[in-house]
Amino acid sequence: MDHKRAFLAITISLLFLVLWSWMFSPPPQQPSPQPDSTAESRPETRPLPEIQPIDPALAPQPIAPRDQAVNGMDAGLGAQQEAPLDPGFIGSATPRGQRITVRSPLFEAVFNSEGGVLEQFKLLQYRQTIEPNAAFVDLVDSPDPRKRPLGLLWNDQPTWMQGEWTVTGENLNLAHGERGTLSFTGRFGQLELVRTFSFTGDTYLVEEQLQVRNHSPNQIGATLGFTMSSEPLSAIQDRYTPTQVMYYDIGGLEKERKDKNLLPGIRSDTAVRWGAVQSNYFLAAVIPGFSDPVFKARLEDGMHRLVMETRNFFLDAQLEMQFRSTYYFGPREREALSVAPGNLLEALHYGWFDLIASPLIQVLNFFHGYVHNYGLAIILLTLVIKLIFFPLSQKSYKSMQQMKKLQPMMLKLREKHKDDRQKMNEEMMQLYKTYKVNPLGGCLPIAVQIPVFIALYQALMGAIELRHAPFITHVPFTDIIWLADLSARDPYYVTPIIMGATMFLQQKLTPAPGDPMQAKIMLFLPIIFTFLFLTFPSGLVLYWLVNNVLSIAQQWWVMREPAKS
């Protein structure tokens, strides 16, 4: 009975894990606008856009109502009083411009001089596969010029496909510690936009300073949108870790992965600090440097697009307004994210069991620092977890031994009361009470370890440190690649099969259930588990396999104790 319940606990938990992984989504969280009465409680206050005259000699004296309009407090009134400037956007379907490359030890970014949009952003520390010459991961690679990231929207109109753009600067090759800039200037009638991007050789950050210059004799009003976009960063068929949109606002971290919600679009305007497109390993984010942004995102033609938009602002004649924004293109890695503004580190979240998964990764990294192999680090981690749960497991196995002694009496009770199930249960409970046996004692250590198992699964599927991390790169004495990526399944299913064998052996060491039907079901459990583990990350299978071996050793040791006595 005890063993049956233990395995049932595992089965239910793993089925839960599989179903959850299949669905992989928390309850839909449809962001809803909230009253703007929370300004005092917002976690961060960003500076207002800087305003200064283009030419001090031509600058008019500021007028109070217009100052309010610039701060976005009276946008509608300002628009009615002054004729808005028509920047003269002319749509163009033909990509133009020249390519400008920024290369650092971490990335290679290719900009287009038309609007300063990105054509490529390759991560030079990460390749697509474990092949030595595999292509680098490219977080942009968008063939559609209308949907490239870092586009600037003026009243929802794309500026990078229109106007006259020039670039100041040339290809950059930055070493560690070096810094460089590129400036893109767009002219639209009497409106001028100057985008200056800054880069460093040590981070994945791209900082932007935007100057909006009004050369007209009239006041202009508009909204500005700083965009990010990405094609799916995960494989199309990857249902476990799909590409998703996430943002961080006053309500905390929000994620959305479902097409049915992204296709019509989502929105948040409650103290948003950043928005991003992410896979389980990589992140492309925009972090606004201006106050009170509005976050919008949706799925368009398979592209995940998002924008951080300013409130409606007004700019008087011959004045210049400045906005700042920061972009991040890189891995979901703690050290890299920690230097980003806006608390972007919050993006490093491993799901429901993040509280356990994050320390597990830190322990793995600690062991990796000594053994330099994540497979060995997983084995050491398993040993530590086994030691932590050693008292519980010991109690469980002793309970099994006691249950084994009661098996003959339980069989007699079953035979005696086979037609009266209630009476049989009463007699069995009395039997447990007489011999001081807890029938649930064997379930407790299993139940406690299930969250650890799920957390390790999340860590293996989401920790960039374990992506392409090898254990045994080749089958000994051959050139056959095997276990070269602990985040991927075992290509030859060797470890799941061995894991199933250890589970079968473990089952043989425990008392058989008295019910013949239950005994048959128990025989199928190792087969079911082996099937479930076939597609799991090999690092997770390695953990469960080592845990089984250690459990068998402990169980065998407990079984020998009565013989010694």
Side-chain angles (χ1 to χ4, degrees):
M1 178 69 71
D2 178 76
H3 191 183
K4 182 197 71 173
R5 293 183 178 180
F7 275 102
L8 283 178
I10 301 174
T11 305
I12 293 171
S13 301
L14 284 178
L15 286 176
F16 167 76
L17 171 62
V18 172
L19 290 174
W20 167 78
S21 300
W22 185 263
M23 302 300 293
F24 204 77
S25 66
Q29 297 175 347
Q30 192 70 23
S32 57
Q34 298 181 12
D36 195 20
S37 59
T38 55
E40 295 182 359
S41 61
R42 288 172 182 171
E44 183 182 54
T45 301
R46 297 184 177 89
L48 294 172
E50 300 175 17
I51 303 175
Q52 59 187 20
I54 301 173
D55 183 346
L58 300 176
Q61 293 299 318
I63 302 173
R66 292 181 180 178
D67 289 343
Q68 291 181 351
V70 168
N71 293 335
M73 301 179 200
D74 195 12
L77 177 62
Q80 293 174 0
Q81 290 179 337
E82 299 289 349
L85 174 70
D86 180 3
F89 288 124
I90 301 173
S92 172
T94 305
R96 306 172 298 176
Q98 64 183 92
R99 292 160 60 93
I100 302 171
T101 302
V102 180
R103 187 181 179 88
S104 80
L106 300 178
F107 63 83
E108 181 181 279
V110 178
F111 286 81
N112 190 296
S113 61
E114 291 294 320
V117 294
L118 268 178
E119 292 190 6
Q120 288 182 350
F121 200 100
K122 294 181 179 178
L123 303 179
L124 304 183
Q125 306 289 326
Y126 300 94
R127 295 184 182 274
Q128 297 282 4
T129 68
I130 59 174
E131 296 294 330
N133 297 321
F136 292 113
V137 171
D138 188 348
L139 297 183
V140 177
D141 196 24
S142 171
D144 189 345
R146 296 169 299 179
K147 295 183 173 63
R148 285 173 180 158
L150 270 61
L152 184 66
L153 298 175
W154 176 275
N155 283 335
D156 295 328
Q157 300 178 72
T159 61
W160 61 99
M161 300 293 293
Q162 305 158 55
E164 297 294 332
W165 285 91
T166 58
V167 58
T168 303
E170 54 187 8
N171 294 341
L172 299 174
N173 197 352
L174 305 174
H176 283 296
E178 291 185 342
R179 186 178 180 87
T181 60
L182 285 177
S183 291
F184 302 89
T185 302
R187 293 180 176 82
F188 311 86
Q190 293 177 305
L191 170 69
E192 184 180 40
L193 304 176
V194 182
R195 310 186 70 186
T196 302
F197 294 106
S198 302
F199 318 88
T200 62
D202 303 299
T203 74
Y204 294 96
L205 298 174
V206 178
E207 298 175 351
E208 177 182 5
Q209 181 186 55
L210 170 66
Q211 296 164 287
V212 181
R213 294 173 176 170
N214 180 10
H215 294 283
S216 78
N218 301 315
Q219 184 189 63
I220 59 175
T223 61
L224 282 168
F226 298 79
T227 70
M228 178 61 67
S229 62
S230 175
E231 291 192 315
L233 298 176
S234 310
I236 298 296
Q237 66 274 17
D238 188 350
R239 297 178 59 87
Y240 294 96
T241 55
T243 301
Q244 57 187 329
V245 169
M246 62 193 308
Y247 59 94
Y248 189 80
D249 64 6
I250 196 169
L253 188 64
E254 303 284 351
K255 299 179 182 179
E256 184 55 70
R257 53 170 283 191
K258 294 183 178 178
D259 291 358
K260 68 177 183 180
N261 295 329
L262 288 174
L263 284 172
I266 59 176
R267 171 192 174 107
S268 176
D269 55 1
T270 53
V272 182
R273 303 186 70 175
W274 52 262
V277 181
Q278 73 153 8
S279 66
N280 52 331
Y281 294 124
F282 301 103
L283 182 77
V286 54
I287 309 153
F290 47 87
S291 61
D292 209 14
V294 177
F295 169 80
K296 301 175 183 175
R298 67 179 180 181
L299 188 62
E300 287 182 9
D301 302 325
M303 292 280 294
H304 293 80
R305 304 190 70 193
L306 61 89
V307 59
M308 283 292 179
E309 193 175 80
T310 68
R311 305 286 177 170
N312 197 18
F313 67 89
F314 289 84
L315 182 61
D316 287 325
Q318 301 302 318
L319 288 184
E320 173 187 292
M321 185 179 290
Q322 296 186 2
F323 298 85
R324 296 179 185 276
S325 191
T326 303
Y327 307 89
Y328 178 89
F329 297 87
R332 293 177 70 241
E333 193 265 327
R334 180 172 298 277
E335 184 176 355
L337 291 171
S338 63
V339 300
N343 203 16
L344 188 60
L345 187 59
E346 288 294 328
L348 199 61
H349 193 272
Y350 297 104
W352 295 353
F353 290 94
D354 178 75
L355 193 64
I356 303 174
S358 293
L360 286 180
I361 293 172
Q362 294 183 33
V363 173
L364 277 177
N365 288 332
F366 173 79
F367 286 136
H368 182 264
Y370 288 95
V371 298
H372 305 294
N373 182 299
Y374 273 107
L376 295 177
I378 288 175
I379 293 174
L380 292 175
L381 173 67
T382 311
L383 186 60
V384 169
I385 293 175
K386 197 66 184 173
L387 287 174
I388 292 174
F389 291 115
F390 181 84
L392 279 176
S393 299
Q394 192 74 355
K395 187 175 181 180
S396 170
Y397 296 138
K398 287 183 177 179
S399 177
M400 289 181 185
Q401 287 298 96
Q402 292 173 315
M403 291 292 294
K404 188 175 182 179
K405 294 177 182 177
L406 299 184
Q407 284 289 329
M409 289 181 276
M410 293 171 64
L411 288 175
K412 289 181 180 179
L413 288 176
R414 289 179 185 277
E415 183 64 25
K416 181 180 178 181
H417 302 291
K418 60 182 178 182
D419 297 327
D420 188 349
R421 193 171 186 85
Q422 181 178 357
K423 184 66 177 177
M424 181 183 69
N425 290 335
E426 291 175 356
E427 293 285 342
M428 282 192 175
M429 292 304 296
Q430 185 60 41
L431 189 66
Y432 296 145
K433 188 176 180 180
T434 302
Y435 288 91
K436 299 180 179 178
V437 174
N438 183 1
L440 298 178
C443 301
L444 183 60
I446 301 295
V448 171
Q449 290 188 61
I450 288 301
V452 177
F453 176 83
I454 298 177
L456 189 60
Y457 170 83
Q458 292 173 327
L460 284 166
M461 296 302 290
I464 189 72
E465 298 93 331
L466 295 170
R467 180 181 182 268
H468 295 175
F471 178 33
I472 304 171
T473 54
H474 295 84
V475 175
F477 311 111
T478 71
D479 57 354
I480 301 174
I481 296 176
W482 182 56
L483 300 183
D485 182 2
L486 288 168
S487 65
R489 65 173 175 81
D490 184 335
Y492 304 107
Y493 307 113
V494 174
T495 48
I497 292 173
I498 297 176
M499 187 280 302
T502 59
M503 195 171 176
F504 180 77
L505 179 59
Q506 192 178 8
Q507 183 181 344
K508 284 296 183 183
L509 291 176
T510 57
D515 189 337
M517 180 59 69
Q518 292 178 6
K520 290 181 180 178
I521 294 175
M522 297 299 292
L523 286 176
F524 279 101
L525 280 179
I527 299 174
I528 296 172
F529 272 62
T530 302
F531 177 77
L532 287 175
F533 275 69
L534 288 179
T535 57
F536 277 11
S538 54
L540 190 66
V541 181
L542 177 64
Y543 162 76
W544 202 254
L545 169 59
V546 175
N547 183 68
N548 278 358
V549 172
L550 295 175
S551 298
I552 290 171
Q554 185 179 2
Q555 194 170 349
W556 177 79
W557 179 54
V558 172
M559 289 175 60
R560 285 176 56 85
E561 285 188 331
K564 289 180 180 177
S565 61

